[in-house]
Amino acid sequence: MDGGIKTKYMISPQSIRKGIIIKFDGVVVDKKTVIDASEGWSPNHEVLFKKLLKQGGQFKINGVLVAVTPEEKTFNSRGETDGGAPKVDPLARF
């Protein structure tokens, strides 16, 4: 035994959240396709892919262009998630 623990999947299904669009060579793919493809990736590719899941971007792995578009979130000037217009009671006066 080599002491290292090898997991069955390099990228887990839980790491790919809903709302994230993943494309291989311009074609949108599902979670299973990504997980199957990730079995042949190096550890460096896995780390880069996980970063792209959070921030988006594109790169090439084994000749395949991988593009990741994360879910859009609206932030205010303080970097907090913007909740939209404040909810105010229209009948309240001061």
Side-chain angles (χ1 to χ4, degrees), residues 23-74:
K23 296 180 181 179
F24 285 180
D25 286 332
V27 179
V28 177
V29 294
D30 61 347
K31 283 185 186 184
K32 181 161 180 18
T33 306
V34 174
I35 291 167
D36 291 343
S38 71
E39 290 178 5
W41 294 352
S42 72
N44 289 342
H45 288 146
E46 177 189 356
V47 169
L48 182 57
F49 183 77
K50 287 182 178 181
K51 284 184 181 181
L52 290 185
L53 284 175
K54 292 181 180 167
Q55 65 191 32
Q58 59 185 16
F59 67 105
K60 274 197 167 187
I61 298 179
N62 303 333
V64 177
L65 181 65
V66 178
V68 179
T69 308
E71 186 176 17
E72 292 290 324
K73 293 183 180 175
T74 307

Side-chain angles (χ1 to χ4, degrees), residues 73-84:
K73 293 183 180 175
T74 307
F75 295 102
N76 62 17
S77 60
R78 286 181 257 161
E80 301 165 345
T81 305
D82 190 6

Side-chain angles (χ1 to χ4, degrees), residues 10-31:
M10 292 186 77
I11 302 292
S12 69
Q14 292 82 13
S15 64
I16 304 171
R17 301 286 179 202
K18 70 174 188 172
I20 297 175
I21 300 169
I22 302 169
K23 296 180 181 179
F24 285 180
D25 286 332
V27 179
V28 177
V29 294
D30 61 347
K31 283 185 186 184

